[in-house]
Amino acid sequence: MNERIRELYEQARLQAKSIDADIDPKGWMDEYHRKFAELIVRECVLISRTSTDGFSAGRRMEEHFGVDN
């Protein structure tokens, strides 16, 4: 996992604080997963908007998130 994934993880964790994990752990996890997925999708959209073709966009996303193909 690269540094950007860690940053998105932490950002999602902080945004999920609107739900008290002690009172509603499942609700907190659902909110955390929703926020984390949303943040990743937003990053992918930004990357794809700056690419000229699908292959380079996919490759840039792999490199951006430190995913080995």
Side-chain angles (χ1 to χ4, degrees):
M1 181 174 6
N2 74 8
E3 185 59 30
R4 187 61 186 140
I5 293 284
R6 285 185 209 4
E7 291 169 0
L8 294 175
Y9 163 86
E10 184 62 25
Q11 189 176 347
R13 190 181 68 75
L14 292 173
Q15 289 181 13
K17 282 190 171 183
S18 63
I19 296 173
D20 188 334
D22 292 330
I23 295 172
D24 185 5
K26 183 184 178 324
W28 184 89
M29 284 300 291
D30 289 346
E31 181 68 5
Y32 162 75
H33 287 134
R34 188 184 72 72
K35 295 282 188 184
F36 190 52
E38 180 182 317
L39 292 168
I40 291 172
V41 169
R42 287 178 188 268
E43 292 273 324
C44 291
V45 168
L46 288 173
I47 291 167
S48 68
R49 286 184 178 163
T50 61
S51 296
T52 58
D53 63 52
F55 177 76
S56 63
R59 187 74 201 134
R60 288 184 59 211
M61 285 181 221
E62 288 174 337
E63 291 172 1
H64 183 82
F65 290 114
V67 176
D68 295 326
N69 189 5

